[in-house]
Amino acid sequence: MAKNVVVVGAQWGDEGKGKIVDWLTEHVDGVVRFNGGHNAGHTLVVNGAKTILRLIPSGIMHPTSICYIGNGVVLSPEAFFKEIDELKAHGVDAEPRMRVSANCPLIMPYHIALDHAREAALGDKKIGTTGRGIGPAYEDKVARRSVRVADLFQPEIFAERVRAVMDLYNFTLVNYLHVEGLDAQKVIDEALSYAERLRPLVADVSAELHKQMDAGKQFLFEGAQGSMLDIDHGTYPFVTSSNTVAGSACAGAGVGPEKLNYILGITKAYCTRVGSGPFPTELNDAVGEELRRKGNEFGAVTGRPRRCGWFDGAALRRAVQINGLTGLAVMKLDVFDGMDKVKLAVGYKVDGQPVDLMPYGADAAARCEPVYEEFPGWKESTFGVTRWEDLPVSARQYLTRLSEVAGCPIALVSTGPDRNQTILLKDPFS
């Protein structure tokens, strides 16, 4: 029986979803991206060669996989084709295997200009966006003034809609944010220049997925960012602009929940976060720096150093609940190799009271004091280990407790960046 699997980040993003999606793609007929934009960097290592994907689903590295960009994604045509051209330069012909929803809202230059100008105006209180226009593009979608992929094939209507939006945004840029406005005709011409290259890739993604599923095909749904950055359930307002939880796979790809059979949450063996916002287990010391160095914790898209800290079980427990996680994939266990001790937060104290679940919102999360359990470290190398019984006893004890605190079984453990450096405990497709 065919099964469809959803892969989501269970922390603040950057958990290593790209590797797991790439690894699981061998079992599916297609991979579907259902949220976010080109601010989501997924790093893959295949046979020692590193590839960074931002918008295109990680399954593209498999030569027979069809990759879909669902209506829940905001699309920059410029970034999309730049990525396709980068892949082609590395011997991966992605274009014939891409399907793009006609309903995707477009990221336009005025979105990027707004993103930069707003962050600059906020100063020390900035959200910490990547500056790629993702948030403003989602704002337009909700305000019902987006231009979408389908509009590119009606040039006159497209131009009329862009001019109407740009009247508003140029006024805002010049008179409120005090930066230069943009030339409407130049913006229109640049966007329309991508239309003919994009035309053969455009599809009714929802209808195509249902047709393929009815024929017995199975799919992987790939989320961007992480659960604690969800616009509704994360540390608001320090969140992304879309729903990042598993349920958004339904709205962002046009499939019903009965089509989703297994929800796999990706988590590191420790925690990281980029940008601003509360981070209860953050380590601003030599241990945090060691995790950053050994884990190579720098943004795949931006290069920004990631904030690092011990594993947060209360935050993951929240992620398990809001996603309905079936299993966990624990990444970067090998980063702990050689450490004298490792810690795991099992809950918090808030105003002296015990709390076992991360509270909603940034203000409440900022008041959380983590309660730790400590484990002995291990000197043996776990790098590249592929069997559970070959892990050091201390590593197995740590992972077992992590699973207990989270309230979710571990399906996979990653012991290195390459595809084959993985311990499989439960096959999501079985």
Side-chain angles (χ1 to χ4, degrees), residues 19-156:
K19 170 189 167 169
I20 296 300
V21 170
D22 172 66
W23 191 73
L24 293 175
T25 299
E26 294 180 359
H27 303 275
V28 299
D29 300 286
V31 180
V32 187
R33 174 78 179 276
F34 58 83
N35 75 309
H38 63 295
N39 57 337
H42 292 172
T43 302
L44 313 180
V45 179
V46 182
N47 299 325
K50 185 165 82 170
T51 299
I52 297 175
L53 300 174
R54 303 163 192 85
L55 184 63
I56 293 172
S58 305
I60 201 67
M61 303 304 289
H62 291 258
T64 60
S65 176
I66 305 299
C67 289
Y68 300 81
I69 294 180
N71 56 275
V73 175
V74 285
L75 183 85
S76 162
E78 178 185 10
F80 176 64
F81 285 118
K82 180 181 179 183
E83 197 167 326
I84 280 179
D85 292 340
E86 286 173 356
L87 284 168
K88 194 159 190 175
H90 288 89
V92 179
D93 191 10
E95 203 158 347
R97 294 185 286 118
M98 290 299 309
R99 306 287 185 271
V100 179
S101 172
N103 287 345
C104 285
L106 295 173
I107 299 174
M108 300 292 285
Y110 46 84
H111 294 135
I112 298 168
L114 277 167
D115 209 350
H116 283 284
R118 286 173 175 171
E119 285 285 272
L122 287 169
D124 293 341
K125 296 182 180 179
K126 65 183 179 181
I127 301 297
T129 77
T130 57
R132 285 164 169 77
I134 311 297
Y138 275 115
E139 286 177 46
D140 275 2
K141 174 181 177 178
V142 174
R144 293 167 292 191
R145 56 174 173 250
S146 285
V147 285
R148 304 199 290 182
V149 167
D151 296 327
L152 289 170
F153 311 117
Q154 304 178 85
E156 291 183 6

Side-chain angles (χ1 to χ4, degrees), residues 386-403:
T386 57
R387 299 195 317 157
W388 174 262
E389 54 267 32
D390 292 338
L391 289 174
V393 172
S394 295
R396 280 182 274 158
Q397 289 174 338
Y398 176 79
L399 291 170
T400 299
R401 183 59 176 144
L402 184 157
S403 174

Side-chain angles (χ1 to χ4, degrees), residues 5-9 17 21 31-37 42 55-57 67-74 99 101 104-105 138 141 205 209 219-227 230 242-255 260 262-264 323:
V5 173
V6 184
V7 173
V8 292
K17 295 180 291 296
V21 170
V31 180
V32 187
R33 174 78 179 276
F34 58 83
N35 75 309
H42 292 172
L55 184 63
I56 293 172
C67 289
Y68 300 81
I69 294 180
N71 56 275
V73 175
V74 285
R99 306 287 185 271
S101 172
C104 285
Y138 275 115
K141 174 181 177 178
V205 167
L209 289 174
F219 292 87
L220 203 58
F221 292 79
E222 176 185 17
Q225 287 90 34
S227 301
D230 185 275
S242 62
N243 287 112
T244 59
V245 294
S248 64
C250 297
V255 300
L260 309 179
Y262 192 100
I263 314 297
L264 182 66
N323 287 288

Side-chain angles (χ1 to χ4, degrees), residues 227-238:
S227 301
M228 304 316 294
L229 293 176
D230 185 275
I231 187 70
D232 288 310
H233 301 285
T235 49
Y236 190 93
F238 300 99

Side-chain angles (χ1 to χ4, degrees), residues 91-359:
V92 179
D93 191 10
E95 203 158 347
R97 294 185 286 118
M98 290 299 309
R99 306 287 185 271
V100 179
S101 172
N103 287 345
C104 285
L106 295 173
I107 299 174
M108 300 292 285
Y110 46 84
H111 294 135
I112 298 168
L114 277 167
D115 209 350
H116 283 284
R118 286 173 175 171
E119 285 285 272
L122 287 169
D124 293 341
K125 296 182 180 179
K126 65 183 179 181
I127 301 297
T129 77
T130 57
R132 285 164 169 77
I134 311 297
Y138 275 115
E139 286 177 46
D140 275 2
K141 174 181 177 178
V142 174
R144 293 167 292 191
R145 56 174 173 250
S146 285
V147 285
R148 304 199 290 182
V149 167
D151 296 327
L152 289 170
F153 311 117
Q154 304 178 85
E156 291 183 6
I157 294 174
F158 178 83
E160 180 182 337
R161 290 177 177 169
V162 169
R163 287 186 190 280
V165 174
M166 288 193 68
D167 282 346
L168 168 65
Y169 284 151
N170 272 338
F171 181 87
T172 303
L173 288 167
V174 173
N175 296 290
Y176 181 67
L177 295 167
H178 308 298
V179 298
E180 287 187 26
L182 303 179
D183 182 279
Q185 191 59 51
K186 183 178 178 182
V187 168
I188 291 164
D189 291 343
E190 181 183 320
L192 290 174
S193 71
Y194 294 105
E196 291 312 306
R197 187 175 180 187
L198 192 56
R199 188 188 294 272
L201 311 184
V202 175
D204 182 338
V205 167
S206 173
E208 189 164 326
L209 289 174
H210 280 86
K211 181 179 179 182
Q212 297 291 336
M213 289 176 192
D214 288 345
K217 303 290 181 68
Q218 59 188 18
F219 292 87
L220 203 58
F221 292 79
E222 176 185 17
Q225 287 90 34
S227 301
M228 304 316 294
L229 293 176
D230 185 275
I231 187 70
D232 288 310
H233 301 285
T235 49
Y236 190 93
F238 300 99
V239 291
T240 193
S241 302
S242 62
N243 287 112
T244 59
V245 294
S248 64
C250 297
V255 300
E258 84 284 357
K259 300 290 187 184
L260 309 179
N261 307 108
Y262 192 100
I263 314 297
L264 182 66
I266 316 300
T267 177
K268 287 174 184 164
Y270 50 97
C271 276
T272 64
R273 178 165 194 165
V274 295
S276 306
F279 183 0
T281 63
E282 184 172 12
L283 294 169
N284 293 305
D285 58 12
V287 176
E289 184 56 42
E290 183 180 6
L291 292 175
R292 185 179 299 111
R293 178 184 58 80
K294 291 176 68 176
N296 191 30
E297 295 296 351
F298 300 89
V301 172
T302 63
R304 290 185 294 180
R306 297 178 185 137
R307 301 154 64 190
C308 296
W310 295 121
F311 184 86
D312 189 332
L316 190 65
R317 193 179 292 114
R318 172 73 76 179
V320 169
Q321 291 181 4
I322 60 180
N323 287 288
L325 295 184
T326 317
L328 297 171
V330 181
M331 314 298 290
K332 293 195 172 184
L333 178 68
D334 55 293
V335 172
F336 282 155
D337 291 357
M339 296 183 71
D340 293 328
K341 62 184 179 182
V342 293
K343 292 184 179 181
L344 187 157
V346 296
Y348 311 122
K349 286 285 184 69
V350 178
D351 300 329
Q353 299 300 311
V355 174
D356 63 0
L357 195 66
M358 174 167 272

